[in-house]
Amino acid sequence: MDIEIDIEYSNMEIPPRCRKPRPVLHRETICVTIPEVSGADAPEVMIIEKSQVRPLSVRHYKGEFFKEARLSYCHGEEYIEYEFSEIPWKRYLTPYYFSRYGPKEDVLEYIKAAADNFLIIDGAAYNKCGEPCYRIITFGFRGCGTGVFLDFARENGESSIYSALDISNCIKDAVRIAEMRGDKRCVPGILNYEHVKISVLRPEFCTLKSIPHKFD
């Protein structure tokens, strides 16, 4: 999908009647391409369910995971998602502080990287992400809380992280941790997927290896 975006950038130049170079602001309209594919090429592989949020679709394309972007704006105390045709792409591709004061080559490099982070699938915007997985998180001192939360892992090697296919072991370890910490009040929530549940539709795309919590 091609989008026209107005950009601003500064080059060091010697303006008329000046002796020394100084930043000179320029404005230009450029065409930005965001990759666009069909749902058949980027199959839905997972659905993430989180408390008080409607299920989030995760797709896979050319070795990468992409989650629904759900770009939104603040309206009073709530966030409202943009209709796809109304997405202000400049807001997401060219941060004001960077585009206004950076040289053109840096601005274009930033915009390209930002555009490559998006993928349009069947008329909806998706963001590149790591592989969805579970992470056990504890809060503060003993008794402050223990839970199972969503994470997006980009590489193996982190502890207390569990594959989306390994929810049973994750819950078992989380319950054990909660009981050891005196967080027994958290156990029902852990058992009932209080914070997150990942439904895996295509298990063949799950490559992350679980690295369970290490118990002393």
Side-chain angles (χ1 to χ4, degrees), residues 23-111:
V24 176
L25 182 65
H26 294 269
R27 294 181 174 86
E28 185 177 330
T29 299
I30 65 170
C31 183
V32 180
T33 300
I34 297 180
E36 185 173 13
V37 300
S38 70
D41 295 322
E44 186 175 48
V45 296
M46 300 182 194
I47 297 176
I48 298 172
E49 299 177 53
K50 296 179 67 177
S51 176
Q52 300 179 347
V53 178
R54 78 176 192 274
L56 184 74
S57 173
V58 177
R59 293 177 176 269
H60 194 271
Y61 180 68
K62 289 188 175 181
E64 299 275 6
F65 289 94
F66 291 84
K67 61 183 176 67
E68 287 181 87
R70 294 187 179 173
L71 307 178
S72 61
Y73 62 94
C74 182
H75 181 70
E77 296 182 353
E78 63 178 335
Y79 285 90
I80 300 176
E81 290 182 32
Y82 287 106
E83 295 292 336
F84 181 77
S85 60
E86 298 175 353
I87 294 175
W89 287 106
K90 181 176 180 178
R91 171 183 170 186
Y92 297 101
L93 300 180
T94 58
Y96 175 81
Y97 73 90
F98 181 86
S99 61
R100 188 175 180 85
Y101 298 107
K104 182 176 181 179
E105 57 270 22
D106 289 352
V107 173
L108 295 180
E109 182 179 354
Y110 185 98
I111 292 174

Side-chain angles (χ1 to χ4, degrees), residues 15 51 158 192:
S51 176
E158 301 180 71
N192 292 315

Side-chain angles (χ1 to χ4, degrees), residues 106-144:
D106 289 352
V107 173
L108 295 180
E109 182 179 354
Y110 185 98
I111 292 174
K112 183 181 185 307
D116 288 344
N117 192 56
F118 283 99
L119 183 65
I120 307 302
I121 305 174
D122 289 343
Y126 283 72
N127 275 132
K128 188 179 294 184
C129 64
E131 182 174 333
C133 58
Y134 297 104
R135 180 181 291 278
I136 299 174
I137 297 178
T138 58
F139 300 91
F141 300 99
R142 291 178 178 271
C144 291

